[in-house]
Amino acid sequence: MATHLLPTGIQRWPEIHPTTQAAFNQVLWHGGLPRTEIARKLGLSRTRLTAITRDLEAAGLLVEGGREQRSTTGRPAEMLHAVTTAYQFLGLHLHGSSVIAALVDLDGRVVWEDRATLDTESPDELVDVAGEMLRKASATFRVAAVAICGPLARVGLDTASARIRAVDRGHQDRFEREWSVPLWVDDDVIALTAFEQWPQLADGQDSMVLISVGEEIGFGIVTDRRIMRGARNAAGRFDHIPVLADGPRCPLGHDGCLWSVCSTTAVHGAVPDAGSLTEIAARAEAGDELAAVVLERAAAGLGTAAGHLVNLLDPDKLVLTGESHTVLRGRIETFRSALRATHLGGLEVEVDMPEFDFVEWARAAAALALYRCLSADPF
Ligand SMILES: [Zn+2]
């Protein structure tokens, strides 16, 4: 990777031809590619590829990275690398009245973080905070777009949902006029789904189901390489499916729905004197019978719900995120056995459980801004 001074400021992602963008994306996803591979993947002539790479080099987006031995031909190949530090993308995640922000490079690496607390319910304040964070970040980085994400599409009790719903097209247009870069507003589970799916497009991942465990349980669905949003932007409300006969009752009046056994709110409710989910997991590990029973029930419920989704959609992969890793640590077999019991006669499905911390939501929001800039047909 070439080292150079970082360009700073606020600058839109350049308008480039879709084929040129596709060539850049291939290099980005693969962490570098030989010229011949790019031409092969996109069906380009040598002349066309030369013109495209020249444009990308002139835009500061590609650099030649020396020669690499390729096992297929035995000859050294001329490598091209994406300049992943050329632009940054800012994501804000809203939870209640708190905002966590992350700035990512083109490869999704977090390079800057910030946080703020909102004083009012006004969407103007939220958009102003986004502008202020953009101003701060652009002193050191070149920022191409901003996204605000939160519980937009869920039927939640989170006070952030009213705030983020109030940010309308008018706010976005004003922001773009003032700052010259786009502002997107989207649901946080959609952002997380985009974040997980985008780099996998290179490997031909057509479908995926993402399950995010938290105070609510969010579902992100990718079919035929597109994020499924539904006719009314409300697809993926699967958190109240029945999973346990005679289970506890949820606030909507269901007995034994997924929310009632697996949401962090419900798990806390079932172990009332524990401070955090991590503490409940630690107690279960130390032999506390109640904590263990509650988490086993959560793991099994999650497996049952996942099994129904696999029956319905037959995805390439399941991604378990949010607090899934806390609920399932040491209980992955309980999850898998409930999944197998529900899944009707198919082959075993791949399950991914990435590490997750509080910055991940903001990182996903930033990745959504990146995805929308670099993808001709985002979703
Ligand atoms: Zn319910």
Side-chain angles (χ1 to χ4, degrees), residues 190-230:
I190 294 280
L192 214 46
T193 307
F195 177 51
E196 291 292 335
Q197 173 67 10
W198 162 251
Q200 307 303 328
L201 286 171
D203 299 328
Q205 179 173 295
D206 292 329
S207 57
M208 175 184 85
V209 169
L210 173 140
I211 308 177
S212 162
V213 173
E215 289 162 14
E216 294 173 72
I217 301 168
F219 294 85
I221 300 160
V222 175
T223 55
D224 294 330
R225 300 182 154 225
R226 289 181 68 88
I227 296 177
M228 191 179 168
R229 314 194 71 135

Side-chain angles (χ1 to χ4, degrees), residues 261 284 289-302 327-335 338:
V261 297
E289 204 171 317
L290 175 64
V293 166
V294 165
L295 288 176
E296 278 288 314
R297 191 171 72 179
L302 197 59
V327 171
L328 295 185
R329 187 161 298 136
R331 277 168 289 274
I332 194 77
E333 211 23 69
T334 305
F335 168 83

Side-chain angles (χ1 to χ4, degrees), residues 239-240 250-254 257 259-260:
D239 42 344
H240 290 271
C250 86
L252 302 182
H254 315 127
C257 72
W259 190 96
S260 79

Side-chain angles (χ1 to χ4, degrees), residues 34-37 40 46 67-79:
R35 282 179 189 276
T36 46
E37 284 277 304
R40 192 184 59 76
R46 204 176 168 76
R67 287 171 178 271
E68 196 170 274
Q69 199 74 31
R70 302 298 283 191
S71 57
T72 44
T73 61
R75 290 197 307 275
E78 196 184 343
M79 293 293 288

Side-chain angles (χ1 to χ4, degrees), residues 7-78:
T8 62
I10 298 170
Q11 194 175 329
R12 299 180 78 92
W13 182 250
E15 292 206 2
I16 47 186
H17 188 277
T19 310
T20 310
Q21 182 68 65
F24 177 75
N25 292 352
Q26 285 291 342
V27 177
L28 180 65
W29 288 330
H30 286 93
L33 272 183
R35 282 179 189 276
T36 46
E37 284 277 304
I38 307 169
R40 192 184 59 76
K41 283 178 185 297
L42 297 173
L44 300 172
S45 70
R46 204 176 168 76
T47 323
R48 180 96 170 89
L49 183 72
T50 304
I52 284 175
T53 52
R54 199 176 47 223
D55 288 350
L56 287 169
E57 281 171 340
L61 292 169
L62 276 194
V63 285
E64 295 205 8
R67 287 171 178 271
E68 196 170 274
Q69 199 74 31
R70 302 298 283 191
S71 57
T72 44
T73 61
R75 290 197 307 275
E78 196 184 343

Side-chain angles (χ1 to χ4, degrees), residues 27 63 70 140 221 248 270 308 323 355 375:
V27 177
V63 285
R70 302 298 283 191
T140 318
I221 300 160
H308 287 303
E323 291 289 352
E355 277 300 312
S375 172

Side-chain angles (χ1 to χ4, degrees), residues 6 88 111 114 151 182 190 235 251 307 311 352 359 364:
L6 280 178
Q88 282 74 33
V111 292
D114 199 5
I190 294 280
N311 285 337
D352 250 24
V359 183

